[in-house]
Amino acid sequence: MNAALTPDGEDGTAGVGGGRPGADDEAPVIRGNIPGSFPRSVLEERHPALVDRVRRSFPYGAEQQRALDVLLTEIDGGDITPLPADAHEHEQWAEWGYPHHGRRWLDVPFLWAESFFYRRLLEAVSHFGPGPWRGLDPFAPVKHAELRSGGVDTLLEVLHDLGARPAEDRLRAFLLASVQANRADLSFEMISGGGLGEGEAALVVDEITAARELLEPGPEGPGTVAVIADNSGRELIADLALIDHLLVHGLAGRVALHVKPAPYYVSDAVLADVMHGVRRLSFGPGRAAGIGERLWEAIGTGRLTISAHPFFCAPLSFAEMPADLRAGLAECSVTLLKGDLNYRRLVGDRLWPATTPFAPLVAHFPSPLVALRLLKSDVVTGLSAGTVNRLTATEDGWRISGAHAVVQTAGG
């Protein structure tokens, strides 16, 4: 653990959204009150910049502009206030937030603070309101710009080429494409100079062979594979190509794709983003277009189902998932879990020593799983001591740079 990130005077208690139930005596919960830390930079720099960017995304009316002003003032050193009494899901968010209301944003668990910021942002732009702004994705302009970008054009060419590889190499190639596409995180890119750069991330945990074994059908034949999505755009297109590969090659009889029920963390995928991604594939080159056409058909026949459970916008760890979602995932042969936020929710948003074994932390998950993720926050587990020593000695900020990736497995 980086000693500079350890809070002074914090007792490590989680509250809502801090981590796994019963983990209060383990690693400290991540908060934003450490000067110079990544969480503090998100709360003090990234979030105000996002408010400004959203304000410029659409010509919001005077009511929405005033609400954005209030939010900007509050996150700039103010105390947390709850949602209005008539807000969508007010009672649920009041239950999640009662320990934190009236406190500084920097002093509450980082996972909860981030989640509530995005919920408050949606409230400010009337996303859930009764008026004409209802349902409008405030991040749609930046998502659509990315879909039209050269990066997506390049990815489509790569997907076309992957289809020509020998069959035994393709699964690894599609898994790696899905991992590397996790670089497409618009919450970084919306801030000038805040992108993750170019190039491929180096795998610091490579359990692709174990992932392949989890995906191999059992005696009963291929089962249902769940995919818990992260970002839209490039990443989602790579995920959709992986889903197509699983269906075409008999590694999944059905795929259950889980997306967010509302815009979240800038680029997190919602249903509309899936539709845009499938269409973008359908107009791609050669074999990429075939992927889009097959996925369109798979959605129509039920071989690819899409759901958006409210839990995926909750400020809670996956150990706290509701019974209906847990039951659905328990019926899956394996779950592919994408990205940084899902990883934080999976292991608990805590300052784990990076050598903390991964599998015991995720034993609560209801199915075997494969985590595919670039390192873009302080949370990481399952690394070898040698890898941690090398990274610590040679790279500042290796946990958050996006220059390293993991493919980790558990269960089975």
Side-chain angles (χ1 to χ4, degrees), residues 18-20 30 111 317 343-352 361 364 379:
R20 299 181 303 113
I30 294 176
L111 177 63
S317 74
Y343 191 93
R344 291 164 58 193
R345 297 181 71 186
L346 177 67
V347 303
D349 204 37
R350 293 173 173 269
L351 290 172
W352 300 108
L361 289 181
H364 60 82
V379 181

Side-chain angles (χ1 to χ4, degrees), residues 64-153:
Q64 290 73 37
Q65 297 287 354
R66 284 193 297 269
L68 289 169
D69 287 338
V70 169
L71 178 58
L72 191 59
T73 299
E74 183 177 313
I75 62 177
D76 185 20
D79 295 333
I80 298 168
T81 59
L83 289 171
D86 60 349
H88 175 67
E89 294 183 334
H90 163 76
E91 292 184 1
Q92 182 65 82
W93 278 95
E95 179 182 343
W96 290 331
Y98 77 89
H100 310 313
H101 297 152
R103 302 177 67 189
R104 293 194 313 162
W105 288 82
L106 298 176
D107 292 334
V108 304
F110 180 47
L111 177 63
W112 188 90
E114 275 198 292
S115 297
F116 192 54
F117 165 78
Y118 282 99
R119 178 61 188 84
R120 288 284 305 278
L121 186 61
L122 292 180
E123 192 67 23
V125 297
S126 303
H127 179 81
F128 297 109
W133 299 102
R134 181 180 181 88
L136 184 69
D137 185 344
F139 312 122
V142 71
K143 289 179 176 179
H144 293 163
E146 198 223 356
L147 273 178
R148 297 189 298 268
S149 70
V152 171
D153 291 335

Side-chain angles (χ1 to χ4, degrees), residues 47 95 312:
H47 285 179
E95 179 182 343
F312 288 110

